Each structure stands twice: as C-alpha cells, then as structure tokens.
Amino acid sequence: MPPLKLVKILFQREPVAENQPGCCDVFIDLLRACGLICYVACPPVPSIVTRKLAFHPPEKGMTYRIALKSDPEKRFKNIRGCRDEPVQLVVRNISNGADYIHSEKEVEVFSVTTANNNDLVCIKCTPDSYSSNPAVSDQVVLFCQPNSSDLGGFLQPSSMNFVTYANVFETDFYAFDYSGYGFSSGTQGEKNMYADIRAVYDKIRETRPDKKIVVMGYSIGTTAAVDLASSNPEGLAGVVLIAPFTSGLRLFSSKPDKPDTCWADSFTSFDKVNRIETRVLICHGDLDEVIPLAHGMALYEKLKNPVPPLIVHGANHHTILSGKYIHVFTRIAGFLRHETLVSCRSIEVDSQQSSSKKKTESEE
C-alpha cells in the first residue's frame, strides 16, 4: 500500500467499536505507526520525504518490457542499454498475462536523455487518420502520467489506451515514463520529473518544428505540465489538467487555496499556474476523494487564460480518464479544435479571409 494512503488511514477517525482493542492490538498499531514515520521521515530531507510519499511506480516488468527488434529475447535493465538500436515495447496483458506488441505504425518507441543524465522511454502513438481540421493537424499532444502507472498500463490492448487517445484526438500522441519508472533510468523525484518533461518537450520541438504542442497532465502529471507551461516555452499551444492539485501539503489541508505556501511544500502548482500565458482546460470529477474538486477550482481561479472547465459528475480520481465518461474526451477534442492558441489563430485567419472576401464582393 502506498505510504501516502497509509498516512491517511492512520490519521483517519474511525467509529468506536463495541469491543475495544486490547493492549496488544494498540501496541502493534503503535509499532506500525512508528515504522511508517521512520520510513517516511528518515532521513529528514524534504525531497526524499516527498519521493517516498508521492511516487509509487509499478514493479518493473509488470506491465511491459523493452526488446530489441533484432533480438527480442535479450533483456535490459533500462533503455540506456539499447538506446542506439531499434526497440519495441512488449506489453504484458494484465488480464491474461499474454504478451502484446502494438504495430510499428501505432506505437513508435524512442529515448530521450534529460539534463540530469537520465534516459527515458518515450513513445509516439499515430492515429489511423489525421484530422481534416487544420488547427488539430498543426498540433500534437504530450501526456504526463499519474504516479502509479507506466507506459504498459496505458497500452493495455483490452482497455482504452494511448493508441485510442491518438485516434480520438486525430493527432500524434506522445507519452513517456518518468525517471525511475518502467525502463527509464534514474530515480523518482520532483526535480527529475520536471527535467523529464522538459527533455521530451524539447525533443518533440527538435524533431517536429512544424508542430505546436498541447501538454496534458493527469494527477501528479499535472504538476509537471504546470511547471513546464509556467515557463511559457516556445511552441506551447495549450494545457489540459486532469484532476490537478494545488500543492503537496495543501492535499492535507481543508483550504486548497490558502495563499501562503510552506517552505517545505512540494509540487507547488498553486504558485506557478498564474504564470501560464496559453489557454488552460481543467477537467475534474466531482466524486474525486484522492484530489477533491476544490483543488481544480482553486487553480482555475488563478488562470490568466482559462477556458470553461469540465466538472465530470459521478467521476472519481480513477474513472475520469478510463473511458467511462466519453464527454471528457469530447471536451478535450473540442479544446484542440477550437480553444488552443493554434485553433484560435486559425479561426481569426478564417474570419479575416471571410471578411476580406465579402468586402471584395461588395466592391464589385
């Protein structure tokens, strides 16, 4: 069980039972609490404490492995061992344990080296057909995952996956594993995560200079999206935040919008989000118990260029992007077509051309 969930359980008030626990039960509970506190707080370095509480990658190899196309049976510790050779992702179907490989047309695998010298596993998912909308065809999407998943979890053949997302949005869809996740090298950490998204973003800009980028974050991935977007990098067309939170310590507070940020706080999106110049869409479930809706609304109130948010009635933290609520994808697709900087400029150009045409016709 993740340490963060254990902390919440330990401090959660339970109704008094008719049969009070005995001394041994109390003593065992105290030992568990002390063990958890020692695990989390030792050493008492904020970045290490944050890493222990916030990052919970799946066990390596549980959902996928990397394989050389020339030697599929050869095993690697991480992508660094084969970054100069063509590789593919062998997805482990969680429902039956069978291996599954997406076609090369659907999923292209590549690696990126970050400023912190970590090598990341990255993918580009290609749709069956691209949008006829010029605004959408000029954009690609870069996705930042939640904390308890890796690429294999989002490439499961029996569920809505990244390839499906690419087809729904009708454009190229990029994703990556954070440092220490899946077969990316390095260790998990907030600073590494920010360096990760920057490196992948720069790689897309380098290889696709003709494309603008919409950054999409989910849960802890929203903090990476906000950190990058707050620097307003060249080529950024829009931001989508799904179930975002204001900051790490504010998750334990009843006031997600409290103005003062503690020096020991982490993932401080609340202090960064007002620096984003581009359009931002926030989607949040009203039954989200992990990250309450109030966090998404607190961030929305600080945005410079918000678009109408989507509050998904009945959705919780885990179901909002599962495919159960198709209007989430409809809303994001609408954002790509009509509300990003690229689509807004396209509309302006069409409007100007239409006005010019009407003026010419009237003069004739």
Side-chain angles (χ1 to χ4, degrees), residues 244-246 256-257 270 282-285 291-303 307-312:
F245 59 97
T246 51
D257 59 347
F270 190 76
I282 290 178
C283 304
H284 215 125
I291 301 174
L293 173 61
H295 282 262
M297 294 301 95
L299 292 176
Y300 172 77
E301 292 298 329
K302 294 197 68 178
L303 292 172
V307 301
L310 176 65
I311 299 174
V312 188

Side-chain angles (χ1 to χ4, degrees), residues 66-298:
I66 51 175
L68 290 177
K69 293 180 180 179
S70 59
D71 187 2
E73 298 305 316
K74 190 174 182 179
R75 295 293 188 266
F76 294 91
K77 181 180 180 182
N78 55 54
I79 193 70
R80 178 170 290 178
C82 54
R83 61 185 178 185
D84 296 325
E85 301 184 61
V87 298
Q88 58 190 358
L89 258 59
V90 181
V91 178
R92 181 176 180 270
N93 192 325
I94 295 176
S95 61
N96 58 24
D99 286 346
Y100 182 86
I101 301 176
H102 290 272
S103 70
E104 292 185 29
K105 180 183 179 300
E106 290 179 331
V107 179
E108 176 187 335
V109 185
F110 63 100
S111 66
V112 167
T113 303
T114 74
N116 296 339
N117 199 32
N118 294 325
D119 292 289
L120 310 181
V121 183
C122 310
I123 60 171
K124 182 187 79 170
C125 298
T126 303
D128 292 333
S129 61
Y130 288 98
S131 174
S132 59
N133 185 310
V136 177
S137 62
D138 286 343
Q139 301 174 129
V140 299
V141 178
L142 172 58
F143 184 76
C144 304
Q145 304 181 75
N147 71 352
S148 297
S149 64
D150 58 18
L151 291 175
F154 275 99
L155 286 173
Q156 291 296 305
S158 56
S159 61
M160 196 162 187
N161 55 46
F162 285 151
V163 177
T164 313
Y165 294 0
N167 284 317
V168 170
F169 301 138
E170 298 182 300
T171 191
D172 291 331
F173 192 92
Y174 290 83
F176 62 99
D177 272 340
Y178 304 124
S179 296
Y181 276 66
F183 285 83
S184 293
S185 66
T187 57
Q188 312 90 12
E190 183 181 6
K191 290 183 178 179
N192 270 348
M193 185 173 66
Y194 298 158
D196 295 344
I197 185 175
R198 172 69 67 172
V200 180
Y201 186 93
D202 290 345
K203 182 68 173 181
I204 297 172
R205 288 290 296 160
E206 176 188 334
T207 56
R208 310 289 297 277
D210 58 320
K211 302 294 184 182
K212 303 298 183 183
I213 303 173
V214 175
V215 176
M216 182 189 303
Y218 178 17
S219 189
I220 202 171
T222 63
T223 66
V226 169
D227 185 78
L228 175 74
S230 65
S231 67
N232 298 298
E234 183 180 356
L236 182 66
V239 179
V240 179
L241 304 177
I242 302 167
F245 59 97
T246 51
S247 72
L249 290 181
R250 285 183 176 89
L251 280 172
F252 296 94
S253 170
S254 59
K255 296 181 179 179
D257 59 347
K258 63 179 182 178
D260 298 325
T261 299
C262 175
W263 65 270
D265 207 349
S266 57
F267 307 108
T268 53
S269 293
F270 190 76
D271 297 335
K272 303 173 185 176
V273 75
N274 63 338
R275 300 199 295 266
I276 301 175
E277 299 289 346
T278 192
R279 299 289 186 86
V280 182
L281 167 65
I282 290 178
C283 304
H284 215 125
D286 65 346
L287 297 184
D288 194 327
E289 295 181 351
V290 177
I291 301 174
L293 173 61
H295 282 262
M297 294 301 95

